[in-house]
Structures are given as structure tokens and as C-alpha cells.
Amino acid sequence: MQSVAVLALTAMGELDFDVFLFANVGEDSENPATLSYLHQHAMPFAAAHGIELRELHRTRRDGSIETLYDRLMREGSRSIPIPVRMSNGAPGTRSCTVDFKIKVTGRELKRRGASARCPATLGIGISVDEIHRANNRRSEPYEQIVYPLLELGIRRTDCARIIQSVGLPVPPPSSCWFCPHHRPETWAAMRRTQPAQFRQACQLENTINARRTAMNSDPVWLTRFNGPLDQVIPLTPVLPSTDDRADDPAGDRDDDGRCDSGWCFT
């Protein structure tokens, strides 16, 4: 939502960005509602206001597109680039944001001429209430990272108002549909309303653990509840969490269960 607010503020003339980039981690990986919003609302809005909004993909050397779900499900793959929960409840190593968002965006910046001598100004949509997400990585030589919403003192609730003020609907949360950062109520809603997608998430978890069993490694999970997704997520509605850090062994869950990178649009 924050990045769409930056887009709206740019259309209103309150910010000055020439190009917006959306690094799509895969048609089979992104939240389908996010992709629908991108194509039905964000792109037409950007075009109507003379703003370039470009959709990017991670491409292999042969020109084919690699998706995050492809990498996870590839036969014989040992890679787990998403932050699955280990058997002790701690999050595993993640590389999804770096490989499918940051590097993809970086290649596009360099293609457009960004360099150490002439770095691109890179705006990331992080609001004041998410300030802890800022400055969590160093800038590359070809970029200068700025946080326009922080500079304007804009909070997430302000973002919804700004988006609606330009005639856009408020976008859905941006994350992969199988992201381990989902809150329990998100998984429960998926199980009730999108059972096929929930079963696919269970299959993904089972596939990863079948490989780990073959390697004599402990299982990993898509939730912090140390058990299979279809056993720990009930069919009945789950009350929204208010503050569940007390039962999170790692103490590092996202505040709202969304992807924590701020890289939905750049």
C-alpha cells in the first residue's frame, strides 16, 4: 500500500519520481490479488498521469523467466529461499527478496544507465510506523536509497487516505501467497475461501520436507507452530492477532504478516 501511496503522491505533484518498478517474483508466486491490482488499477493510473510503471521478472541466461515457486519446486533442488520456520521456531535464511526483487531491480537500474559515478535515486515505500524496516541493507554503488514517506512523515493510515483521494481503491497486502510471514488468520482465510491454493501451499511444504527427510535434516514449516500446515491451521475462523510476539520464539515476526522488504514497488 505504501508504494501505491508514493505513486499517488507523484501523480499529485508532491513527489518527483520518473519511473516505478514492480519486480514480479512470478505469476505463480505473487498474491493473485496483487497482480490483479497492478494490471487493473496501478498501471492504468500511472499511464493516465504520464508515469512509467514497468513490470520486471527474473530472467535466466537463455531469456526464460524464473519464478520463486519454480525454484522451490524444481526437481532435486535443495534451495529454500523463503523464510521457513525451523523446528526450533526460528526463521530460516531467506534470499527471495534479494534474488527476485533487489537484484532484478538493480539490473534494470544499470540497464537504464545507473552507475557508481551516476547513481539512481531509489525510493522505497516505507512509512513512519515501519521505520524499523528502513536502512536494513547497504546501498549498492549504483543507487542512492531514499524513503519519501518517512521524509513526509506519512503513516500507513495516511497512505490509505491518499490512495483513495486520487480515486484508486486501497490495494491488498503484497506478498507471495505461500509466504511464511502470513499470520494465522491469513492462512485460515485462505483455507476457507481458496482451498485449492491452500492445498498447493501444503504440497509445497510437503515437498520441501520430503527432500529434507532424504538429507536426514529436520523438517521446516510455513508457520511458527512446528507442524504441517493442514494440521495447525483450523477450518474455523481465526481471530485477528493483536500482539503475538510472546508466543513467537524468534520474536521477529512482521507486525502485519506482510513481506517486510518494502520492495513491492520501487
Side-chain angles (χ1 to χ4, degrees):
M1 178 168 62
Q2 285 88 334
S3 299
V4 178
V6 175
L7 176 63
L9 289 167
T10 300
M12 296 163 62
E14 297 188 27
L15 291 174
D16 184 20
F17 289 100
D18 298 324
V19 179
F20 284 74
L21 302 176
F22 174 76
N24 183 347
V25 304
E27 300 291 321
D28 57 359
S29 308
E30 294 277 1
N31 180 353
T34 297
L35 296 179
S36 294
Y37 188 94
L38 173 73
H39 295 122
Q40 295 177 16
H41 300 291
M43 282 185 159
F45 177 84
H49 290 83
I51 300 169
E52 182 182 357
L53 171 48
R54 183 175 179 85
E55 185 176 3
L56 308 175
H57 301 272
R58 180 177 173 85
T59 56
R60 302 183 179 93
R61 291 184 179 179
D62 63 4
S64 62
I65 292 175
E66 180 188 18
T67 73
L68 180 54
Y69 185 74
D70 278 343
R71 181 180 292 187
L72 285 163
M73 295 296 288
R74 188 172 62 240
E75 186 69 29
S77 174
R78 295 187 177 186
S79 172
I80 311 179
I82 59 175
V84 291
R85 289 285 172 164
M86 311 306 289
S87 57
N88 64 357
T93 302
R94 64 183 294 182
S95 62
C96 47
T97 299
V98 171
D99 288 351
F100 288 86
K101 295 282 188 181
I102 295 174
K103 288 183 178 179
V104 171
T105 299
R107 281 195 291 270
E108 178 65 13
L109 294 178
K110 288 183 281 188
R111 187 189 73 80
R112 291 172 177 265
S115 66
R117 295 184 63 181
C118 186
T121 299
L122 192 67
I124 298 180
I126 290 179
S127 53
V128 171
D129 45 322
E130 298 180 334
I131 195 169
H132 60 282
R133 294 178 175 174
N135 297 319
N136 60 356
R137 76 170 185 89
R138 65 179 180 85
S139 296
E140 297 295 335
Y142 53 80
E143 66 188 15
Q144 179 181 355
I145 295 178
V146 297
Y147 300 94
L149 298 181
L150 296 184
E151 293 172 7
L152 294 175
I154 291 175
R155 303 182 68 82
R156 191 169 183 224
T157 52
D158 300 322
C159 292
R161 174 184 52 79
I162 291 167
I163 292 167
Q164 291 173 323
S165 73
V166 297
L168 285 172
V170 176
S174 176
S175 66
C176 297
W177 56 265
F178 48 78
C179 183
H181 282 308
H182 285 329
R183 283 186 165 191
E185 57 265 28
T186 301
W187 285 118
M190 183 190 297
R191 185 168 194 175
R192 293 193 313 274
T193 63
Q194 299 169 292
Q197 193 167 80
F198 184 82
R199 288 194 297 271
Q200 192 175 4
C202 294
Q203 180 186 8
L204 170 62
E205 189 180 64
N206 292 338
T207 298
I208 292 172
N209 280 327
R211 293 172 184 160
R212 291 184 65 81
T213 297
M215 296 186 295
N216 294 318
S217 298
D218 291 339
V220 295
W221 314 106
L222 293 181
T223 73
R224 67 189 188 283
F225 299 125
N226 201 26
L229 190 62
D230 59 353
Q231 294 181 23
V232 300
I233 299 299
L235 284 167
T236 54
V238 175
L239 292 176
S241 305
T242 53
D243 185 0
D244 49 11
R245 290 180 180 268
D247 61 0
D248 178 12
D252 63 350
R253 291 185 67 251
D254 288 342
D255 292 343
D256 50 17
R258 297 174 300 120
C259 182
D260 64 350
S261 68
W263 280 79
C264 47
F265 290 101
T266 301

